[in-house]
Amino acid sequence: MRRDKRANVLATLVFTDIVASTQVAEELGDRRWRELLARHHRIVRAALREYVGRELDTAGDGVFSRVRREIVKGSISVDPASYF
């Protein structure tokens, strides 16, 4: 049996989500919602750079990513109003 030369790596999968995003988008309007979403993605991508992570996909208001080491010990809550 041939062994795969790639090393096994323990990884953490990270999913982000803006809670009640449909309601938030309706309250903010299109322009402010796009600004909020762009800021969310910038924050996530900055964290991925810091923790040697990789963005795997985005869907709506969420980002799916992988990091090689633990970056969170729970969930983080951010008030969308604090983005503006």
Side-chain angles (χ1 to χ4, degrees), residues 18-48:
I18 298 175
V19 176
S21 59
T22 301
Q23 180 182 352
V24 172
E26 288 175 1
E27 291 173 4
L28 293 177
D30 289 342
R31 182 184 58 78
R32 290 185 68 205
W33 168 249
R34 284 191 304 275
E35 291 170 359
L36 172 75
L37 194 57
R39 179 159 171 141
H40 168 267
H41 285 27
R42 280 193 305 273
I43 290 167
V44 170
R45 289 171 179 146
L48 291 173

Side-chain angles (χ1 to χ4, degrees), residues 3-69:
R3 186 162 190 220
D4 190 346
K5 292 181 181 182
R6 293 178 291 176
N8 292 330
V9 175
L10 179 63
T12 300
L13 297 178
V14 179
F15 299 87
T16 67
D17 180 64
I18 298 175
V19 176
S21 59
T22 301
Q23 180 182 352
V24 172
E26 288 175 1
E27 291 173 4
L28 293 177
D30 289 342
R31 182 184 58 78
R32 290 185 68 205
W33 168 249
R34 284 191 304 275
E35 291 170 359
L36 172 75
L37 194 57
R39 179 159 171 141
H40 168 267
H41 285 27
R42 280 193 305 273
I43 290 167
V44 170
R45 289 171 179 146
L48 291 173
R49 282 190 299 278
E50 181 178 347
Y51 291 98
V52 192
R54 179 173 172 228
E55 181 177 322
L56 301 174
D57 200 4
T58 61
D61 64 324
V63 176
F64 173 47
S65 55
R66 177 189 75 197
V67 292
R68 293 182 68 123
R69 56 186 165 146

